[in-house]
Amino acid sequence: QVQLVESGGGLVLAGGSLRLSCAASTRTSTNFAMGWFRQAPGKEREFVATYRFNGGITRYADSVKGRFTIFRENGKNTVFLQMNNLKPEDTAVYYCAADSTLITSQLSNPGAYDYWGQGTQVTVSS
């Protein structure tokens, strides 16, 4: 069992920055991956970014490429999502997710992740 603890959400003006963090209680295999998803009111949960520990592979949704960066704290089971140039459409509850069994094609699929954090609200005002 993996517990995920998120932090770092908040309210920011458009164009501003926020950094989210997610700490995993354990890493179950070298194929461990941690990702960020978000869900806005009335919308489905969508992929934002993911990081696979083996090889440091990263993936991003097209909507955040060039603005968001996912990275790992060296030697720890913690990943960060640095969000720059935030837009009002980035407003959502952001969830951290983790899994150790995913193949590359599954990394952006929220249904494929077994472990989820409690979510943190990000609000971007215009």
Side-chain angles (χ1 to χ4, degrees), residues 19-80:
R19 179 178 290 186
L20 306 182
S21 68
C22 178
S25 59
T26 186
R27 178 158 57 102
T28 53
S29 78
T30 57
N31 209 33
F32 197 63
M34 294 177 70
W36 288 97
F37 296 80
R38 66 188 182 187
Q39 188 165 17
K43 295 188 177 182
E44 293 185 353
R45 191 167 298 188
E46 66 174 6
F47 169 70
V48 176
T50 191
Y51 181 98
R52 171 176 273 171
F53 282 50
N54 186 9
I57 296 171
T58 59
R59 294 287 187 273
Y60 296 93
D62 288 343
S63 59
V64 307
K65 281 181 182 177
R67 300 188 298 123
F68 291 13
T69 303
I70 187 169
F71 60 98
R72 176 194 172 194
E73 184 174 2
N74 285 342
K76 296 190 177 181
N77 300 332
T78 300
V79 295
F80 298 90

Side-chain angles (χ1 to χ4, degrees), residues 106-121:
Q106 294 176 307
L107 291 175
S108 62
N109 179 4
Y113 286 76
D114 280 344
Y115 306 105
W116 290 86
Q118 77 282 5
T120 185
Q121 177 70 45

